[in-house]
Amino acid sequence: MTDFGKECGSGPAHVAGLDARLVVDRGGFRLDVALRVAPGDVVALLGPNGAGKTTALRALAGLTPLSSGHLRLDGTVLDGTPPEGRPVGVVFQDYLLFPHLTALDNVAFGPRCHGASKADARAQAARWLDRMGLAEHSGVKPRRLSGGQAQRVALARALATRPRLLLLDEPLAALDARTRLDVRAQLRRHLADFEAVAVLVTHDPLDAMVLADRLVVIEHGLVVQEGAPSDIARRPRTDYIARLVGLNLYKGRAEGHVVRLEAGHVITTTEELTGPAFVAFPPSAVTLYRERPTGSSARNLWRCEVAGLETHGDRVRADLTGGLPLVADLTTVAAAELDLRPGAPVWAAVKATQTHTYPA
Amino acid sequence: MSTPYRPDSGAEIRTGAGTRGGPGGRRARVGAGRGVPLPLLLPALAGLVFLLLPLTALLVRTPWRSLPEQLTSAEVWEALRLSLICASAATAVSLVLGVPLAWLLARAEFRGRGLVRALVTLPLVLPPVVGGVALLLALGRNGVVGQWLDSWFGITLPFTTAGVVVAEAFVAMPFLVISVEGTLRAADPRFEEAAMTLGASRFTAFRRVTLPLIMPGIAAGSVLAWARALGEFGATITFAGNFPGRTQTMPLAVYLALQNDPAAAVALSLVLLAVSVAVLAGLRDRWATVR
């Protein structure tokens, strides 16, 4: 990643937004992530468990010290500033609402710590709860709130200190599926209204794509890909991302209309390209046959073996090994007709027109 | 999902205290339980009898008829008043010093923390008389620190009421520290972090978030420390002596009375038993049911 620090220098140049390189060394694990986010933008750190997302968030909040790197927010250096001195608001994964305080006093806690009088802090808190549609719950203790309500109180509490950087750690992870839908939509609205920098951490690609303007994918402590959600969904660059967005992904060398994979397989494509390349195609592009097809126009044909089957609604997702490891989607009817079961041999065909090739 | 905060150590202590006093509910459940193996049931019942027999004997032999006049005597009230004041003062001292100490042990990272914790809990297992001797050597008129207290400030602790408080606090404080530290460990430290991200200093986070969260543990620890201080004998008689009205607390009075006037000793013991039962009842009512 580019080192933005050099551009800004140490002069009085005022750069709005977040400009950080977060390096945290922790016994065998190293996080090294560069982030640059403009005010008003929402960035999602997406990655598998243990990738270092939460560590990055804690480093931004000042809860985990940086081993090296830098952290600037609106031109102010925050590297050594303790958490309480940073204009940062955090929505924790399980919210961490203070159980002994009412919703109102939870939200008033921040303004109070920032020097507001008790009455003033409570008035501010009441306004925030009102904005979140929680006015009638202000006197309630956190344990009496539903998951969605607690999430909004946590958001109100974080926003009540008027942070210049809002951090959200898996903001929807603690919610059940139905609540999640509502809360995600509300959160999206609140984030759209938020005029400063927002960084959220999630392992859910849907949350990331709905809530964020830009995704930063982290694996093993490093940024493996970043960009607009649509771009990442179309052109994944790691197996993890490909799995997240539901694509079969292969890396190889493109030579015109063919891509030679490292394992020796060849995939025919329609896009012309030369040099290291990725080939991606959706599981729905794969057609399965019991016998070797003769009349098929598909240029890509592999002999595989069914490793596993999973149903998704009226679709069956087949995990194939053997020839080319790939994932195929087919209808339940087709799966029954093919008599698919683990261990069964199948032929998999993919039309060249349904593949997408891009430089690695 | 998160693990919501539960005042766990309070529960532990309650169970501990409960076994000693013989909680009715639990005993009934065991008795009604089908298939309790005999090798467990017999010693269990014997243990129960063993714990309850002395207390029953105390009640059986109490001179109920002369009790009113025994209990209204000036000496009894003097000793009881002194006991209550000293135990409360010792608890206050334990709170002021012990809660921060518990926080240090539970939250701060420093070298030799395990050793410090072991040293803090030492008075728990140390024979109280030895504690009294140690206090004399430290704070006595010729003690390591005591000689300076005496010559610089004119403060003399041994054989004074203040000395009783010191001796009781020395013995009782570890109970409070252990109880509070356990509660602190069970409390999620991330609440403090959440408070800090909201602009609270570490001390403010402790005062406004952690302290209210660990209140059940502090309360349970205080009661435990208070009860321990109330019954303290060995360290008190060694360090503070046995002067009626000044350092003669209830346990000392009981011991003295047993030699001159056994009936009075029984009456005094009954008072202490009543106080203990009241403490236990208070613990159960206030901290066992409110969850």
Side-chain angles (χ1 to χ4, degrees):
Chain A
M1 294 290 101
T2 336
D3 188 352
F4 294 106
K6 291 193 182 76
E7 279 173 44
C8 311
S10 51
H14 182 88
V15 184
L18 172 70
D19 167 23
R21 180 160 168 245
L22 309 172
V23 182
V24 179
D25 270 308
R26 214 178 36 196
F29 177 80
R30 182 180 166 88
L31 175 84
D32 189 345
V33 169
L35 280 177
R36 199 173 198 193
V37 193
D41 271 3
V42 181
V43 165
L45 302 182
L46 184 64
N49 286 333
K53 300 170 304 222
T54 298
T55 306
L57 209 70
R58 291 178 58 85
L60 287 171
L63 297 171
T64 297
L66 288 183
S67 307
S68 68
H70 64 262
L71 175 54
R72 270 179 224 116
L73 190 61
D74 296 334
T76 312
V77 177
L78 291 180
D79 299 21
T81 312
E84 63 266 31
R86 299 186 182 200
V88 173
V90 187
V91 176
F92 291 88
Q93 180 171 358
D94 34 16
Y95 315 136
L96 295 179
L97 295 175
F98 305 131
H100 61 292
L101 298 180
T102 61
L104 186 77
D105 284 332
N106 261 283
V107 180
F109 190 94
R112 194 92 175 82
C113 288
H114 283 85
S117 73
K118 199 165 188 169
D120 186 28
R122 284 195 161 166
Q124 287 184 42
R127 278 198 296 278
W128 278 107
L129 286 177
D130 195 33
R131 265 179 79 172
M132 298 286 162
L134 288 168
E136 71 272 30
H137 296 284
S138 60
V140 169
K141 293 271 176 73
R143 67 171 177 277
R144 305 276 295 276
L145 294 169
S146 73
Q149 290 165 349
Q151 203 265 3
R152 280 180 283 160
V153 173
L155 184 62
R157 186 177 71 171
L159 289 172
T161 58
R162 308 210 162 266
R164 297 302 302 157
L165 172 61
L166 178 66
L167 304 172
L168 303 108
D169 190 2
E170 302 276 5
L172 304 169
L175 302 172
D176 61 75
R178 189 183 294 179
T179 320
R180 204 175 170 129
L181 218 62
D182 291 344
V183 175
R184 190 193 286 134
Q186 288 164 2
L187 184 58
R188 188 182 151 80
R189 252 197 350 265
H190 289 299
L191 286 177
D193 290 346
F194 186 59
E195 78 289 356
V197 175
V199 175
L200 72 100
V201 151
T202 180
H203 67 272
D204 185 323
L206 187 58
D207 289 349
M209 289 179 190
V210 171
L211 296 173
D213 309 304
R214 197 154 58 85
L215 307 190
V216 175
V217 186
I218 301 180
E219 285 178 59
H220 309 297
L222 297 171
V223 175
V224 291
Q225 191 171 359
E226 59 177 301
S230 59
D231 188 47
I232 287 182
R234 244 171 61 78
R235 301 180 156 207
R237 301 185 74 83
T238 72
D239 286 338
Y240 164 74
I241 309 169
R243 247 192 336 273
L244 278 186
V245 300
L247 287 177
N248 288 297
L249 177 73
Y250 307 94
K251 194 175 177 184
R253 276 196 83 78
E255 296 159 14
H257 286 292
V258 284
V259 177
R260 283 181 200 289
L261 307 187
E262 275 141 22
H265 297 284
V266 175
I267 299 177
T268 309
T269 66
T270 48
E271 291 150 310
E272 207 175 318
L273 202 68
T274 314
F278 286 111
V279 187
F281 54 86
S284 57
V286 184
T287 317
L288 298 186
Y289 303 93
R290 202 66 213 254
E291 308 291 335
R292 187 185 178 103
T294 44
S296 169
S297 62
R299 304 285 299 279
N300 299 307
L301 189 65
W302 301 283
R303 196 171 186 285
C304 300
E305 196 176 275
V306 178
L309 293 166
E310 237 182 279
T311 49
H312 290 278
D314 61 341
R315 312 284 293 174
V316 172
R317 174 158 287 193
D319 241 322
L320 307 179
T321 56
L324 193 68
L326 52 79
V327 177
D329 273 359
L330 60 167
T331 63
T332 342
V333 178
E337 279 171 1
L338 285 165
D339 191 21
L340 289 188
R341 57 173 160 254
V346 285
W347 288 87
V350 178
K351 285 188 178 139
T353 50
Q354 292 193 285
T355 63
H356 176 44
T357 319
Y358 45 95
Chain B
M1 280 300 291
S2 67
T3 6
Y5 169 75
R6 293 267 181 280
D8 277 324
S9 71
E12 269 164 46
I13 285 152
R14 276 194 302 278
T15 325
T19 343
R20 211 177 305 153
R26 226 162 277 160
R27 196 171 55 215
R29 217 176 303 146
V30 171
R34 293 174 303 264
V36 178
L38 219 56
L40 290 181
L41 187 62
L42 289 181
L45 291 178
L48 196 63
V49 169
F50 174 68
L51 289 178
L52 292 182
L53 187 65
L55 301 179
T56 318
L58 186 61
L59 292 177
V60 168
R61 286 294 166 85
T62 298
W64 294 103
R65 204 166 300 157
S66 63
L67 195 61
E69 63 187 271
Q70 292 275 12
L71 291 186
T72 44
S73 81
E75 294 94 70
V76 170
W77 280 111
E78 193 103 287
L80 185 61
R81 198 181 58 93
L82 192 68
S83 276
L84 295 178
I85 289 173
C86 289
S88 302
T91 307
V93 170
S94 302
L95 274 171
V96 170
L97 304 179
V99 173
L101 182 55
W103 185 86
L104 201 72
L105 289 176
R107 287 284 196 269
E109 296 283 340
F110 58 91
R111 198 180 276 268
R113 186 167 64 167
L115 182 69
V116 173
R117 184 183 296 118
L119 291 175
V120 165
T121 49
L122 191 59
L124 277 182
V125 287
L126 192 74
V129 179
V130 178
V133 172
L135 281 172
L136 270 180
L137 296 179
L139 303 173
R141 206 183 280 260
N142 297 314
V144 179
V145 176
Q147 55 182 322
W148 305 113
L149 285 180
D150 192 43
S151 61
W152 289 359
F153 307 107
I155 296 173
T156 317
L157 287 174
F159 311 110
T160 63
T161 307
V164 176
V165 175
V166 168
E168 289 183 352
F170 178 78
V171 174
M173 192 160 78
F175 284 86
L176 184 106
V177 174
I178 293 296
S179 166
V180 174
E181 196 211 343
T183 317
L184 267 171
R185 286 184 177 283
D188 195 336
R190 294 180 313 144
F191 282 117
E192 285 178 34
E193 293 187 345
M196 287 197 283
T197 65
L198 292 167
S201 68
R202 207 148 187 208
F203 180 67
T204 308
F206 172 76
R207 192 173 53 82
R208 293 205 46 208
V209 176
T210 312
L211 207 55
L213 284 179
I214 61 167
M215 220 20 124
I218 293 181
S222 306
V223 172
L224 222 58
W226 188 80
R228 180 69 188 83
L230 191 73
E232 163 47 35
F233 180 87
T236 310
I237 201 162
T238 314
F239 184 62
N242 187 11
F243 303 109
R246 202 142 53 92
T247 71
Q248 191 183 75
T249 56
M250 284 291 275
L252 306 192
V254 170
Y255 185 74
L256 202 71
L258 200 56
Q259 291 165 11
N260 313 329
D261 183 4
V266 174
L268 288 167
S269 298
L270 194 71
V271 173
L272 280 183
L273 178 65
V275 171
S276 304
V277 169
V279 165
L280 201 62
L283 264 176
R284 291 185 70 83
D285 285 352
R286 214 168 295 167
W287 296 295
T289 51
V290 179
R291 296 227 85 182

